[in-house]
Amino acid sequence: MAWTDNQNQTMPAEFILTGITDRPELQAPFFVLFLTIYVVSAVGNLGMIVLTKVDSKLQTPMYFFLRNLAFIDLGYSTSVGPKALVNFIADQNTISYHWCATQLTFFILFIISELFILSAMAYDRYVAICNPLLYTVVMSPRVCWVLVAVPYVYSTSVSLITTIKIFLSSFCGHNIISHFYCDSLPLLTLLCSSTWEIELFILVCSVFNLVSSLLVVLVSYILILKAILKMNTAQGRQKAFSTCGSHLAVVVVLYATLAFMYMQPKASHSFDTDKMASVFFTLVIPMLNPMIYSLRNKEVKGALHRVWKNLCKIPI
């Protein structure tokens, strides 16, 4: 494999990804499984983006955040999924130096954005349930855009800093990444130069991202729970619990998975375990989110019915 020296910085021309499994008999079944999951995820999230954009009854803050969540889910599953599928059928799982850097940048960007969009959604539900009379005032279009724009800008900054710090470092004579995509932790093991500064930056950012976004979710749901328990009608309580319960369940799964991967002690860290956890949150969660957040929603079902009726009226 070719290596280049640029101002005393050694960089590989390409990396070899170990993939999800090294067992040949599992390559074809995994390819079919992952292709199905990715297609369902892509169709579901694209459909949610289009539906919440074109249907007039879904022009509310809740569906504005859902549209951004669908865009993020589509983004980070696409940054990983297609390349993983190619590797199942390729003779050698390789990725170029620059594509690896690009994949890492977009993956970090979308993952961090998802955390803070989920916290924005929790805050939106808090305002809707606890202060319904002020909902349209508090959750104005300007506020909604700020709650979305700030995470995008912040996550872009963190992803660029992390990627630049890693790829401007000197790599040793190894180019095998113990993963099925370019992630920061496996890449750090390939560096010859000191990694303490990069590791500290990743740790601080990871702790801040997880704790701050999760704190907003927890505080919002504690206040929501208090408001629900004060409701007079059982129907109102059931509706609120149903909506918030689905959202909270996915939040717990996502945060627990990320904490398990990025905040475990280095001595007990296992990249094989990381692969299984990564499959879940890079492919499975983006597939489930449109169903959990939206397809169980009567308003979304009504919008799908209206769109279908309008399509049927179009003359062929």
Side-chain angles (χ1 to χ4, degrees):
M1 188 205 68
W3 288 75
T4 59
D5 292 319
N6 184 18
Q7 296 180 346
N8 298 324
Q9 296 294 318
T10 304
M11 64 179 70
E14 62 183 16
F15 295 98
I16 298 175
L17 300 169
T18 59
I20 296 175
T21 180
D22 56 358
R23 297 175 60 180
E25 68 273 14
L26 295 179
Q27 299 292 335
F30 275 178
F31 175 80
V32 174
L33 175 63
F34 281 74
L35 178 62
T36 303
I37 292 174
Y38 177 71
V39 169
V40 172
S41 173
V43 171
N45 286 296
L46 276 173
M48 192 54 54
I49 293 171
V50 173
L51 189 66
T52 55
K53 189 69 176 178
V54 301
D55 192 87
S56 59
K57 294 187 178 181
L58 299 183
Q59 305 306 307
T60 64
M62 174 181 174
Y63 295 106
F64 172 78
F65 292 124
L66 280 174
R67 181 161 62 249
N68 280 274
L69 180 68
F71 169 73
I72 291 170
D73 285 338
L74 180 65
Y76 76 76
S77 62
T78 300
S79 69
V80 172
K83 181 57 181 174
L85 290 170
V86 171
N87 288 343
F88 280 124
I89 57 177
D91 293 331
Q92 192 174 35
N93 304 340
T94 60
I95 185 171
S96 70
Y97 177 87
H98 293 100
W99 272 114
C100 185
T102 302
Q103 185 182 64
L104 178 63
T105 300
F106 280 104
F107 179 74
I108 295 175
L109 187 159
F110 287 121
I111 285 294
I112 297 175
S113 297
E114 173 130 339
L115 294 176
F116 289 102
I117 292 298
L118 287 173
S119 63
M121 292 171 67
Y123 175 72
D124 171 72
R125 291 298 85 203
Y126 155 72
V127 177
I129 294 175
C130 299
N131 297 288
L133 298 179
L134 298 176
Y135 180 68
T136 55
V137 176
V138 176
M139 300 304 295
S140 64
R142 183 177 181 180
V143 171
C144 292
W145 274 109
V146 169
L147 291 175
V148 166
V150 171
Y152 284 145
V153 173
Y154 166 73
S155 60
T156 300
S157 302
V158 172
S159 66
L160 287 175
I161 292 172
T162 303
T163 303
I164 290 171
K165 281 182 173 292
I166 291 176
F167 282 86
L168 286 184
S169 301
S170 180
F171 287 87
C172 299
H174 304 286
N175 69 321
I176 299 177
I177 300 176
S178 299
H179 220 314
F180 62 94
Y181 65 92
C182 290
D183 197 10
S184 55
L185 297 183
L187 282 167
L188 289 177
T189 64
L190 305 181
L191 300 181
C192 288
S193 53
S194 174
T195 61
W196 74 267
E197 183 181 349
I198 306 175
E199 289 181 353
L200 180 61
F201 178 78
I202 293 174
L203 178 62
V204 171
C205 289
S206 298
V207 172
F208 171 77
N209 297 338
L210 287 168
V211 173
S212 61
S213 56
L214 186 57
L215 186 63
V216 174
V217 173
L218 290 176
V219 172
S220 298
Y221 273 106
I222 290 172
L223 297 175
I224 287 172
L225 181 61
K226 291 175 63 177
I228 291 175
L229 294 176
K230 292 180 181 179
M231 290 181 178
N232 296 323
T233 62
Q235 185 179 2
R237 288 194 297 269
Q238 185 178 3
K239 182 179 179 181
F241 271 125
S242 176
T243 303
C244 298
S246 298
H247 175 259
L248 189 58
V250 175
V251 167
V252 170
V253 171
L254 178 64
Y255 280 70
T257 306
L258 291 174
F260 172 78
M261 288 185 58
Y262 293 102
M263 298 182 67
Q264 57 181 304
K266 189 174 182 179
S268 62
H269 192 269
S270 170
F271 288 127
D272 289 334
T273 307
D274 279 359
K275 290 179 186 179
M276 296 301 102
S278 297
V279 167
F280 189 78
F281 80 79
T282 57
L283 295 172
V284 177
I285 288 180
M287 178 188 69
L288 295 177
N289 280 350
M291 304 176 190
I292 295 175
Y293 288 117
S294 307
L295 296 182
R296 294 179 59 188
N297 188 298
K298 292 182 179 180
E299 292 178 342
V300 173
K301 290 182 179 178
L304 285 170
H305 182 67
R306 288 190 295 272
V307 170
W308 179 254
K309 285 181 64 177
N310 290 333
L311 290 174
C312 291
K313 292 179 181 178
I314 298 177
I316 299 177

